[in-house]
Amino acid sequence: MKRYAIIVPSSMGVRITPKDRQPVHTSREYYMQATSAETNVETVSASLGLPVKVLTNFVEGSPIAEFIKADLRSRNIEYEGPEIPQGGPWGYRHQFNIADCGFGLRGPRVHNDRAGEVGRILDASEFDLERIFGQEGAEILHISGLIAAMSEKTGKFCLELARCAKKHGTKISFDLNYRASFWKSREPELSKIFREIASVSDILIGNEEDFQLSLGVKGPEAGGRDIAAKMESFKNMIIEVKKEFSNVSAFATTLREVVSANEHLWGAILLMEDKWHIAEPRSIQVLDRIGGGDGFVGGLLYGILKGWSPEDCLHFGWATGVLATTSLNDYAQPADEEQVWSIWSGNARVKR
């Protein structure tokens, strides 16, 4: 019996969001939350009672670190990692993400301030991986390309985790999350890392650009803005990817068309058990779009952990992605499974 449902490597930070959907450059009041893409994913399982853990670095003596730890505890997420001395006012810190929600035809804008980010020096030697994966155990190790590409050290860290997890029978989920700014002048180095992680992965998540630019697999051009074209293009892409990464048992991506900052067409597609499963795009109302993709992955992995059918995994992931977009926090915290299934069914009636 494995102790954890999901373990993630991550670099924790905080996001500050202007109140009342105002733009950053004119705002005076902000809402602050602790965040990372990877913990956003496992928050779904943590909220529904499954044990999860994040492996990360903290800045020693930092009030932001204490804020992050308190937030993780409130989300039922265990954490493990070294306390790194700040090294003076120009030393290490937790990253800041400054982002507004947008409104109407004014789209959201995101500014990342990651100088001195303590997560960039994550090192496998600081963690007892044999204990974590061999003795305690995890059902799924979820890795994001954001962490794998942050620095030379984080790339090696993710590789060590993937190798150890695979050795001990842990499934590996890899969300490719290609970011051009992270890859600039590092293409050969990162391509090798991403391809090795993908070669031991059981679940791969990403759009066409993610697969082509992260893994170097040639495929059709992106399908443009039309969702139907995106869907067909993604299917053609995965046919090519499967030829090289036959170890992968599930491929998934979300499908989004932006009508306005407040309304999206939201869908998803999953290839699992050699069959395509599709959540047709539906109109959803959006409070804050950031975190919707992580919410989808979180729900998808929860369904896989519960042993559900591929169709139910996809539908649940679609709905937890929607749930994330209804919250000022950039993660989904379902009250229970019923709430998620009500979202999928379109039932927004009051529950008393």
Side-chain angles (χ1 to χ4, degrees), residues 228-283:
K230 287 181 180 179
M231 193 178 299
E232 288 307 309
S233 191
F234 179 77
K235 287 181 178 180
N236 293 333
M237 175 82 259
I238 295 308
I239 290 171
E240 296 301 315
V241 176
K242 275 183 66 67
K243 292 176 183 178
E244 188 165 356
F245 298 97
S246 58
N247 50 288
V248 179
S249 58
F251 296 87
T253 192
T254 55
L255 302 164
R256 186 199 306 257
E257 185 173 329
V258 176
V259 179
S260 74
N262 312 77
E263 181 185 2
H264 295 173
L265 297 178
W266 178 252
I269 185 170
L270 170 69
L271 177 63
M272 193 171 176
E273 297 179 357
D274 293 321
K275 183 179 178 181
W276 288 105
H277 305 272
I278 298 170
E280 293 289 348
R282 291 152 57 182
S283 177

Side-chain angles (χ1 to χ4, degrees), residues 56-69:
T56 191
N57 285 346
F58 296 102
V59 177
E60 185 179 29
S62 164
I64 299 298
E66 293 308 312
F67 176 84
I68 290 168
K69 290 176 183 178

Side-chain angles (χ1 to χ4, degrees), residues 114-265:
R114 311 188 77 135
E117 184 172 355
V118 71
R120 296 187 75 242
I121 59 169
L122 280 163
D123 192 323
S125 67
E126 300 280 359
F127 298 85
D128 186 347
L129 299 187
E130 283 299 318
R131 169 181 56 80
I132 293 169
F133 292 104
Q135 298 172 28
E136 297 172 348
E139 297 293 339
I140 294 176
L141 168 68
H142 177 70
I143 297 174
S144 166
L146 296 174
I147 297 299
M150 273 182 59
S151 69
E152 183 179 352
K153 283 192 172 183
T154 60
K156 291 178 180 177
F157 180 62
C158 289
L159 274 179
E160 290 300 312
L161 263 61
R163 290 165 180 165
C164 189
K166 193 68 175 179
K167 181 175 69 173
H168 291 291
T170 295
K171 288 184 178 179
I172 298 173
S173 165
F174 189 21
D175 189 346
L176 296 170
N177 264 329
Y178 176 86
R179 293 291 185 275
S181 58
F182 286 22
W183 280 66
K184 188 176 181 180
S185 303
R186 300 177 63 210
E187 286 83 358
E189 167 206 349
L190 290 178
S191 179
K192 182 178 180 181
I193 290 171
F194 274 58
R195 288 177 64 83
E196 180 171 345
I197 295 174
S199 73
V200 296
S201 293
D202 301 276
I203 303 157
L204 280 182
I205 301 150
N207 59 31
E208 296 161 77
E209 181 181 71
D210 292 330
F211 280 100
Q212 294 188 54
L213 297 178
S214 297
L215 303 181
V217 178
K218 293 184 178 180
E221 293 184 2
R225 293 177 58 84
D226 179 72
I227 285 184
K230 287 181 180 179
M231 193 178 299
E232 288 307 309
S233 191
F234 179 77
K235 287 181 178 180
N236 293 333
M237 175 82 259
I238 295 308
I239 290 171
E240 296 301 315
V241 176
K242 275 183 66 67
K243 292 176 183 178
E244 188 165 356
F245 298 97
S246 58
N247 50 288
V248 179
S249 58
F251 296 87
T253 192
T254 55
L255 302 164
R256 186 199 306 257
E257 185 173 329
V258 176
V259 179
S260 74
N262 312 77
E263 181 185 2
H264 295 173
L265 297 178

